[in-house]
Amino acid sequence: MSGPNTEFDPKQVAALDAQAIESMVAEALAGIAEASNLDELKAAKTAYAGDRSPLALANREIGALPPAAKADAGKRVGQARAQVKKALEDREQILIAERDAQVLQAEAVDVTLPVQRNPIGGRHPLTTLMERMADVFISMGYDIAEGPEAEAEWANFDALNVPPDHPARTMQDTFYVESPDSGVVLRTQTSPIQIRAMLERELPIYVVAPGRVYRTDELDATHTPVFHQIEGLAVDEGLTMADLKGTLDHLATQMFGEGIVTRLRPSYFPFTEPSAEVDLECFVCRGASVGDPNNPCRTCGSEGWIEWGGCGMVNPRVLTAVGIDNQKYRGFAFGMGIERTLMFRNGVTDMRDMVEGDIRFTRAFGVDA
Amino acid sequence: MRISTSWIRDLVAVPEDQTGRDIAERLIDAGLEVETVELVGAGLDGPIVVGKVLQIEELTEFKKPIRWCQVDIGGTEPSGIICGARNFAEGDLVVVAPPGTTLPGDFTITARETYGHISNGMICSERELGLGEDHAGIIVLAPETAEPGADASKVLGAGDEVLDIAITPDRGYALSARGIAREVAIAYGLDYHDPVENPETLPGPADERAPAHCASDDLEACPLFTLRTITGIDPSIPTPQWIVNRLRDSGMRSVSLAVDITNYVMLELGQPLHAFDLDSLQGTVRAGRAQPGEKLETIDHVERELSTDDLTIRDDRGPIGLAGTMGGADTEIGDETTNIALEAAYFAPDVVARMGRRHKLTSEASRRFERGIDRTLAPIASARASELLVELAGGTYQGMTAVEAPMDERAIEIPTDLPAQVAGMDIAAATTVAKLTAVGCTVEQSDDRLSVTPPTWRPDLTDPADLVEEVVRLVGYESLPSTLPTAPAGHGLTHAQRLRRRVGTVLAARGLIEVLTYPFTSEADANALRWNDDDPRRISPRLANPLSDEQPLLRAAILPTLLTAAQRNVGRGFDDLALFELGSVFLGAAGSKAPPRPGVTQRPSDADWQALEGLLPDQPMHVAAVWTGDRTAKNWQGSGEPATWADAIATAQDIADALGVDLTVEQGADPAFHPGRCAQLMIDNAIIGHAGELHPSVIEAWGLPARACAMELDLDVLMQRAPLVHPAPDFSSHPVAKEDIALVVAENVTAAQLEQVIREGAGELLEDVTLFDVYTGDQVPEGHKSLAFALRFRAPDRTLAAEEIAAARQGAIAAAEGLGARLR
């Protein structure tokens, strides 16, 4: 164990003399300047500013100096270390700048190369369109009702005021299950969901029901035996045809934008009375093609209007069939064709595209119609 | 119903400046769906003239017989015209398009040499002139219809317009000129003179011969039956051209004068009529039900077996007609018929409709009876037809016999303001009364109520709502205001509705494309899918009237119809596919031999409703997907990655994850799948679907690229398990300890089995286990494989000590050894 230095002995601490310190600094500065990249600079940092670098070792010696020499040596070593540190920082700035300018530059790729992807697929536009239409009604406080596609004939016809031998049964060409007398059909319309809603729900009722329906039509550009409708039903006190019209106007605006013109045209459905067809003014020709053989309109067949769906005030007989007091309550109902909506809204010209499942069709819509 | 505007104008004074399209617009607003407005002779440009055939020379040297005709078309010299038709003779009046006239189809007539002669024009058929469909021969006009050289377009009614109106089932009255003209008059606010009210001009009975006798054995089905007898008509008299034109414009063909007259009156007034050959009748003509075992040959020469529910027209020998539908062949009038019994009756709509359905037979008559005709019209219409038979056919009227049951008067009571209440707009009481009166109702007003008696021709008006519709449609739907009702606060989408949307989005995000296929399939599909004979999916509802006999079944799985969609895409040159479908399948039998049929005058009982529901097959929502070819396309970064069985399983797991449900995968054995690459998807130990590579036979059956993969599962079951609320997780912030173990096991031990025991053996500290390597080869014994797992351990409350980690790791290994595993 050595005792404390009581006397200044320059030989003992040769490393701390000014000349020695200077040469350490000079060596460090030269080494730092020589570092040509950040890795070499890191090595230089260890060599000249690390725990075992000459200056760090010199710094440790300071403690061994007699008090008289400590301040002087401390100042000298401190300045030297600061100088080296600054040189390292300066050099690092330069090398980072160099790397950014050259090395990363050299690593450049052609980002326009077609990169490997797992492209997203698509949801069928009829599906997303039904959701969109349903959402319009959700926002108005309606609920979404459902029912089976293979349906009791009673719900599809009888309860909807279509008696067995009524010509209205042949208005819609029906698929019968098993035998024509089995009591089961593929629903020809979403309207039996009205019956289910009225049997199952509390009054007042505000529901819409999107779904798949069936009629024995051959597939062609404008017909398909399997198609989709969205049914609407409101049963409440004091409902009017004006309410029906306003509701359909709102739907039309949501689906086709402001400025769409609708028309209610008297028609016949057994389950509504009064009944109407809902027409949209042709948004291609705006009616200009009517009676002008020189400018035919393919969208509306030069009729100026496009049939969108059917609607009316719920026939009081239908309310009776489900046990609702038709003196107290009135209802309105409507059924819009989803395929037709997609045709007009998105410009689909051939219904076969919707049913064939060609990936190019659905992919084009992505995940939203 | 097709009707010319000239006929409408005969009955109502429509302003001159109104075109057919103008009239159509008014009718559409009133609820008659005018589908087309056609110009008679559209495309005809230039004169057509009446020609008299003076001479016919038969040219026989050509492949088909050709006529060289000399035709007087009013000039000084006859025109020589070549004609290929043969339905005319010398002296006949025909229609000639002279050179310079353009026929429909932009065909301009020129004088040209053909068959060795210069043909100066063309003798035309109806269709060649754009007048109608008839092209069986050229038009032959009745003698003295016009002078040679007269303007034939006038004679034929060219330039008239024809409205084609789709008549809805409630508006039977509009299947007549009478009914349509009334609607036109109302739409224009014009006076209407009902032709039914025209004074009768029929002479009194000649009493030379007793009129044929009639009766009704079923006054419910036939409450009114009349029979008029006309004798001595001249069957050689042709039908006047104005009747021919009107029939043609209404889509009917001229047959003979007597038949044409019955059809004309039906079109005019809406009352179907039937003319019997009087001399072929035996005894009383009566309406009555068919007897068991009876048959009838109808005039379309089909022999029909009759049901005792059929309402027939009969005489002493048995049935001679299907009431209101079609007459019998034996009593049909023919070319020699001079004496006629004219039937006019009212038949109940449901009776005629049932008969039509049973015999798959509709006719102009049955269409009208089914919709309900004017209950009082029969004798009026038959008088009108008899007048024409006397006037035009030279007949002698011999009188009428008739039977009629009393008729109900049916007044409907409504509050005067009901139309206004339902419409949601102001409608003055006077307006309501005026509109109801205009359609023919008798209206009595007292205080704030109306008593409304509909006219006999409107059997559809039975309820207050029917009257509301009449008033509102005539006020005009366009005047309805637009208001929005206030629905009560709603509930948003149901849980299942939200989940279905989510599944669709997850699958699309995975790169799959949704298709919506027709759910029609077949036994052949079931066979191609290699389903066992006792597979429950073989029992699905069968359609009585499928679109194609080859696809009579409703699908019990989505797979067959989805594979067909894949096949179509492959056929179109897309081999790399990933398709999905969300939809219903149909399981089990449906229907009943005697289904319940609750009434409609009150809510069905719960028992009845349950019985109706019991008729239906199970219809769960399934989701299915199919992959073919590459999942990622070949590109500069490397060759494409094929879609494999693993994608099918991963997709099922993604769906389960998206729903928050634990799905277990086990080695499966659905026959449609590769026996070694089929996973069964399990929830609570129940199989809810399969995923994997398809069986090569299935792939071949649908013509798909090799190694096609698929997945199908019962989404309803999955959704039932989906949590409504996802509880917040509770996780530890203490450090993780990672341990890898490689285990050598026999080939037949599955990864899932091994993972299961590792989880059990590692205990509660195990946070996660991941299989990161599967190895077979030299380093492991024959019949074995090495599976390497990365284990992650973590404690909820502390940093794990090395001994704890080692113990947990050892626990996992020890448990694996239970399956015969050893640490590698």
Side-chain angles (χ1 to χ4, degrees), chain B residues 126 139-142 156 238-250 252-255 260 264:
Chain B
E126 243 181 39
I139 297 170
V140 178
L141 301 172
L156 295 169
T239 306
Q241 192 61 37
W242 64 272
I243 291 184
V244 173
N245 291 349
R246 287 203 166 155
L247 291 177
R248 178 199 66 207
D249 292 343
S250 293
M252 298 186 85
R253 193 164 294 183
S254 171
V255 177
D260 290 353
Y264 177 76

Side-chain angles (χ1 to χ4, degrees), chain B residues 7 237-248 252-268 273 275 333 340 385 388-389 392:
Chain B
W7 201 345
I237 296 176
T239 306
Q241 192 61 37
W242 64 272
I243 291 184
V244 173
N245 291 349
R246 287 203 166 155
L247 291 177
R248 178 199 66 207
M252 298 186 85
R253 193 164 294 183
S254 171
V255 177
S256 66
L257 179 55
V259 172
D260 290 353
I261 285 171
T262 61
N263 284 335
Y264 177 76
V265 172
M266 174 181 72
L267 292 170
E268 182 185 51
L273 300 166
I333 60 171
I340 285 177
L388 292 171
L389 285 168
L392 301 175

